[in-house]
Amino acid sequence: FLHWRKLNLNLKPMNGVWQRAARILIVLVCASQLAACMSEALDRQAEQIRQQNEEIARQRKDLEALAAGQQIQDQKQQDCRRAFRDYFDKAQLSTNRDETIALYRQGLQLCGEDDVAHYELGRALVDAGRRGEAEKEFEAALKINPGFAEARRQLDAVRNNR
């Protein structure tokens, strides 16, 4: 910043009023320069804050999406536990073929991503002579788990015995 003494102004010949006026003018010019610098710095800071707020909002949205995805995943797990408890386990114990098929279908409505349930339903359908439906169930099991060798073997057997 400028100091009035560094300006080499020869203020001595001026009377006291003019000296004070010159000093005030110098102070006002310096204050004006300082205000302009501060305004520019404040503008930069305001822009940084705006960008940070945008980033925070984006991250908050990402977190909310993750939380929603976690809730969906938790619900799916809960549905699958219920499918096992109420349907798949009972189907394994059932000696009635039609009841077994019905229980697997009901369980798969809750937990359609269980490859073993599709496989077991396919086996029950083969036993019932419903090879076309069984083929679809073995395909569903393989779509979920392409490495499911027994489902592949059963599917090939169904297709070869048409």
Side-chain angles (χ1 to χ4, degrees), residues 101 105 121-122 125-126 130-138:
I101 291 169
R105 288 193 193 269
L121 176 55
L125 290 165
V126 166
R130 296 159 64 179
R131 295 188 178 284
E133 293 175 70
E135 183 176 355
K136 290 178 184 173
E137 293 304 322
F138 293 133

Side-chain angles (χ1 to χ4, degrees), residues 1 28 39-40 44 51 61 80 95 99 151-152 156-157:
F1 298 110
L28 288 175
S39 175
E40 189 176 310
R44 280 194 310 270
Q51 290 173 353
K61 190 175 181 180
C80 284
T95 57
E99 180 185 36
R152 170 69 57 205
D156 291 343

Side-chain angles (χ1 to χ4, degrees), residues 20-98:
R20 276 192 227 113
R23 288 179 187 154
I24 290 173
L25 181 61
I26 292 169
V27 167
L28 288 175
V29 168
C30 291
S32 168
Q33 295 275 332
L34 179 61
C37 290
M38 290 180 70
S39 175
E40 189 176 310
L42 289 174
D43 289 345
R44 280 194 310 270
Q45 288 177 343
E47 177 61 19
Q48 288 174 339
I49 290 170
R50 186 191 64 74
Q51 290 173 353
Q52 289 171 346
N53 284 337
E54 284 178 0
E55 178 64 17
I56 289 169
R58 186 191 63 74
Q59 290 177 355
R60 184 173 289 127
K61 190 175 181 180
D62 290 347
L63 287 172
E64 288 169 356
L66 287 171
Q70 184 62 47
Q71 286 176 341
I72 290 169
Q73 186 65 27
D74 291 347
Q75 183 62 48
K76 283 182 179 181
Q77 287 178 345
Q78 195 173 14
D79 289 345
C80 284
R81 282 193 296 273
R82 181 172 160 232
F84 274 88
R85 181 187 66 237
D86 295 347
Y87 302 105
F88 299 154
D89 290 344
K90 289 177 183 177
Q92 289 285 315
L93 299 174
S94 177
T95 57
N96 180 314
R97 185 175 43 226
D98 291 332

